[in-house]
Amino acid sequence: MSGVVVHNKEKNKYGKFPLTMWEVTAASGVVLGFVLGLVGVYLTMPASDYSFLKLPRSLQDIQILRDNLESYTSDYTVQVLVGYCLVYIFMQTFMIPGTVFMSLLAGALFGVFKGVALVVFTATAGASSCYFLSKLIGRPLVFSLWPDKLTFFQSQVAKRRNRLLNYMLFLRVTPTLPNTFINVASPIVDVPYPIFFLATFIGIIPAAFVTVRAGIALGDLQSVGDLYDFQSIATLFLIGVVSITPTLIGNKSKS
């Protein structure tokens, strides 16, 4: 009951534009850091036409990026890797849609094993960056944008506090809650960072493998929906059910 009261107070408090000048300044400072990193990468690349570079929004964008970046990947591997990581982490930090296309690009450029390792690293780093940025300035934004979803998440975390890692793994593996919401809301509902980190690092591996593997054969994809056939979705849900089973057994034994 007290949690609902607190939630209502927060909701009323952040009814208008939720961020203060300090919070906007802090977020702008993070953006500036990413921009400076990308500028540094750009300055170390050879003079050429880079008009093809943009955030991917479609399979066609990925194919264009792959065709243009393949030659740079072998000659300027470090720059391409650093640039890729900065873009992916930036998108994760600020909840910019399109990371699935970045995962496809990793498969197209680096193959399955290197691609999965790269996606797991960048996705975990980006989620962690989002977690800490939200811990710093995210509370008013989350209460303003997702009040009902936050209430549900808060209640579920409270009920599963003793086996929270299993529950967080379940959320990462299955589409029960959007990953962007989990990243920004976890510090608000007091999910400890070690649990958040482990659940993210382990939980995103199955989906990363499916997406990266699909990136190797971009020409066979007609839409993003082709990534997840019935078998892939069923496998992800099975992994999710296995991960949360200890929590369900623990709750039954207590009752």
Side-chain angles (χ1 to χ4, degrees), residues 22 93 118 126 148 154 158 175-176 202 212:
W22 144 248
T93 300
L118 184 61
D148 297 331
Q154 191 172 37
T176 306
I202 298 172
V212 169

PDB file of all heavy atoms in Angstrom, residues 22 93 118 126 148 154 158 175-176 202 212:
ATOM      1  N   TRP A  22      19.904  20.663 -14.251  1.00  0.00           N
ATOM      2  CA  TRP A  22      21.077  19.861 -13.903  1.00  0.00           C
ATOM      3  C   TRP A  22      21.027  18.506 -14.590  1.00  0.00           C
ATOM      4  O   TRP A  22      22.040  18.018 -15.112  1.00  0.00           O
ATOM      5  CB  TRP A  22      21.168  19.690 -12.390  1.00  0.00           C
ATOM      6  CG  TRP A  22      21.697  18.346 -11.948  1.00  0.00           C
ATOM      7  CD1 TRP A  22      21.003  17.368 -11.301  1.00  0.00           C
ATOM      8  CD2 TRP A  22      23.020  17.827 -12.147  1.00  0.00           C
ATOM      9  NE1 TRP A  22      21.810  16.274 -11.085  1.00  0.00           N
ATOM     10  CE2 TRP A  22      23.061  16.522 -11.596  1.00  0.00           C
ATOM     11  CE3 TRP A  22      24.174  18.327 -12.742  1.00  0.00           C
ATOM     12  CZ2 TRP A  22      24.193  15.730 -11.623  1.00  0.00           C
ATOM     13  CZ3 TRP A  22      25.314  17.523 -12.774  1.00  0.00           C
ATOM     14  CH2 TRP A  22      25.318  16.242 -12.208  1.00  0.00           C
ATOM     15  N   THR A  93      22.296   3.356 -24.188  1.00  0.00           N
ATOM     16  CA  THR A  93      22.251   4.299 -23.073  1.00  0.00           C
ATOM     17  C   THR A  93      21.034   5.205 -23.153  1.00  0.00           C
ATOM     18  O   THR A  93      20.365   5.466 -22.143  1.00  0.00           O
ATOM     19  CB  THR A  93      23.533   5.164 -23.055  1.00  0.00           C
ATOM     20  OG1 THR A  93      24.666   4.310 -22.906  1.00  0.00           O
ATOM     21  CG2 THR A  93      23.498   6.162 -21.896  1.00  0.00           C
ATOM     22  N   LEU A 118      30.971  -9.542 -29.410  1.00  0.00           N
ATOM     23  CA  LEU A 118      30.904  -8.085 -29.530  1.00  0.00           C
ATOM     24  C   LEU A 118      29.539  -7.565 -29.098  1.00  0.00           C
ATOM     25  O   LEU A 118      29.445  -6.568 -28.367  1.00  0.00           O
ATOM     26  CB  LEU A 118      31.187  -7.681 -30.980  1.00  0.00           C
ATOM     27  CG  LEU A 118      31.256  -6.186 -31.279  1.00  0.00           C
ATOM     28  CD1 LEU A 118      32.370  -5.522 -30.478  1.00  0.00           C
ATOM     29  CD2 LEU A 118      31.450  -5.956 -32.775  1.00  0.00           C
ATOM     30  N   GLY A 126      26.189  -1.039 -22.686  1.00  0.00           N
ATOM     31  CA  GLY A 126      25.154  -0.029 -22.921  1.00  0.00           C
ATOM     32  C   GLY A 126      24.053  -0.082 -21.884  1.00  0.00           C
ATOM     33  O   GLY A 126      23.573   0.952 -21.408  1.00  0.00           O
ATOM     34  N   ASP A 148       2.470   3.006 -14.870  1.00  0.00           N
ATOM     35  CA  ASP A 148       1.806   1.722 -14.612  1.00  0.00           C
ATOM     36  C   ASP A 148       2.773   0.549 -14.751  1.00  0.00           C
ATOM     37  O   ASP A 148       2.766  -0.383 -13.936  1.00  0.00           O
ATOM     38  CB  ASP A 148       0.627   1.537 -15.573  1.00  0.00           C
ATOM     39  CG  ASP A 148      -0.448   2.595 -15.367  1.00  0.00           C
ATOM     40  OD1 ASP A 148      -0.577   3.077 -14.226  1.00  0.00           O
ATOM     41  OD2 ASP A 148      -1.122   2.953 -16.349  1.00  0.00           O
ATOM     42  N   GLN A 154       7.919  -2.983 -10.053  1.00  0.00           N
ATOM     43  CA  GLN A 154       8.295  -2.811  -8.647  1.00  0.00           C
ATOM     44  C   GLN A 154       7.686  -3.905  -7.778  1.00  0.00           C
ATOM     45  O   GLN A 154       8.349  -4.460  -6.892  1.00  0.00           O
ATOM     46  CB  GLN A 154       7.840  -1.435  -8.162  1.00  0.00           C
ATOM     47  CG  GLN A 154       8.392  -1.016  -6.815  1.00  0.00           C
ATOM     48  CD  GLN A 154       8.049   0.425  -6.503  1.00  0.00           C
ATOM     49  OE1 GLN A 154       6.958   0.902  -6.828  1.00  0.00           O
ATOM     50  NE2 GLN A 154       8.964   1.148  -5.890  1.00  0.00           N
ATOM     51  N   ALA A 158       9.763  -6.882  -5.757  1.00  0.00           N
ATOM     52  CA  ALA A 158       9.583  -7.020  -4.310  1.00  0.00           C
ATOM     53  C   ALA A 158       9.202  -8.455  -3.936  1.00  0.00           C
ATOM     54  O   ALA A 158       9.686  -8.994  -2.932  1.00  0.00           O
ATOM     55  CB  ALA A 158       8.516  -6.039  -3.826  1.00  0.00           C
ATOM     56  N   PRO A 175      10.268 -11.708 -23.880  1.00  0.00           N
ATOM     57  CA  PRO A 175       9.811 -10.331 -24.121  1.00  0.00           C
ATOM     58  C   PRO A 175       8.735  -9.869 -23.150  1.00  0.00           C
ATOM     59  O   PRO A 175       7.840  -9.094 -23.528  1.00  0.00           O
ATOM     60  CB  PRO A 175       9.269 -10.415 -25.550  1.00  0.00           C
ATOM     61  CG  PRO A 175       8.756 -11.809 -25.679  1.00  0.00           C
ATOM     62  CD  PRO A 175       9.685 -12.669 -24.852  1.00  0.00           C
ATOM     63  N   THR A 176       8.792 -10.328 -21.901  1.00  0.00           N
ATOM     64  CA  THR A 176       7.787  -9.936 -20.912  1.00  0.00           C
ATOM     65  C   THR A 176       7.774  -8.423 -20.710  1.00  0.00           C
ATOM     66  O   THR A 176       6.712  -7.795 -20.658  1.00  0.00           O
ATOM     67  CB  THR A 176       8.060 -10.626 -19.562  1.00  0.00           C
ATOM     68  OG1 THR A 176       8.148 -12.040 -19.783  1.00  0.00           O
ATOM     69  CG2 THR A 176       6.952 -10.328 -18.568  1.00  0.00           C
ATOM     70  N   ILE A 202      24.284 -12.727 -19.170  1.00  0.00           N
ATOM     71  CA  ILE A 202      23.919 -14.109 -19.498  1.00  0.00           C
ATOM     72  C   ILE A 202      22.630 -14.153 -20.322  1.00  0.00           C
ATOM     73  O   ILE A 202      22.524 -14.908 -21.291  1.00  0.00           O
ATOM     74  CB  ILE A 202      23.749 -14.936 -18.210  1.00  0.00           C
ATOM     75  CG1 ILE A 202      25.070 -14.992 -17.439  1.00  0.00           C
ATOM     76  CG2 ILE A 202      23.269 -16.351 -18.537  1.00  0.00           C
ATOM     77  CD1 ILE A 202      24.955 -15.613 -16.059  1.00  0.00           C
ATOM     78  N   VAL A 212      22.798 -12.366 -34.550  1.00  0.00           N
ATOM     79  CA  VAL A 212      24.112 -12.299 -35.202  1.00  0.00           C
ATOM     80  C   VAL A 212      24.218 -13.356 -36.304  1.00  0.00           C
ATOM     81  O   VAL A 212      24.739 -13.087 -37.394  1.00  0.00           O
ATOM     82  CB  VAL A 212      25.232 -12.477 -34.158  1.00  0.00           C
ATOM     83  CG1 VAL A 212      26.575 -12.675 -34.844  1.00  0.00           C
ATOM     84  CG2 VAL A 212      25.287 -11.261 -33.236  1.00  0.00           C
TER      85      VAL A 212
END
